[in-house]
Amino acid sequence: RGWGRDGLYAVAFSFALDLTPWVVRGSPDEPSDTDEEESGEVGVVPEDFKKLQKYLANDTNDLSIVQMQKHIQWKCWDELAMNIKHQIRQSGFEGVLNIDRTEMEEMCVYKNTQWANFMHGKALKVLLALSVVGWVFYVPYMWIRCTYMPVRCSHYINISIGDYWQYIAEGLSANGFLAGEAPQMLFPAQLHQESSEEPQSD
């Protein structure tokens, strides 16, 4: 962000860093191995997992919704945020810096039934918009019938602050983050692909 007047600021730059390759199910205090991570129970709060099993076996409401809540932890995150701010300021930026991270994501899972697909479909909403009065019946009906069952899932970032810092330190500047300046990250899948493409010597 940049400087402004009367509490208003002009955005000087904005960037996001992708941590998807290091997101792992479970808790950092109780890390799971690769085999255990394939299990559907890993990372899910035990109480919610039991409720989900009961829901899948017995629920008959076609408009009920499973609300997956993905909680993400990263130890020493505050230290990384402080280092990023320091690096950008050392590069010459003097404005206000705001750094945050995604701590929770939500995803709604609808039932794949004919009635649910019809009620949530775009075609019905277009018809309701054209009829105008259709919303008077649709909204109360959906409010009554749509029930939500939250399922809490724990995830954590499986890379240390020090290891991650080496990927981004050189890319941080007074203009934000310059991807071309930072070292290129190679993930396991890419390394495997490159090794398979190497010519075989006789």
Side-chain angles (χ1 to χ4, degrees), residues 25 34-42:
R25 283 193 296 162
T34 305
D35 294 333
E36 290 179 347
E37 191 177 343
E38 297 299 325
S39 171
E41 298 183 46
V42 176

Side-chain angles (χ1 to χ4, degrees), residues 80-90 97-99:
L80 177 64
M82 182 177 64
N83 290 343
I84 292 175
K85 286 184 177 182
H86 179 73
Q87 183 83 348
I88 294 176
R89 291 198 185 284
Q90 287 291 98
L97 290 171
N98 181 28
I99 302 176

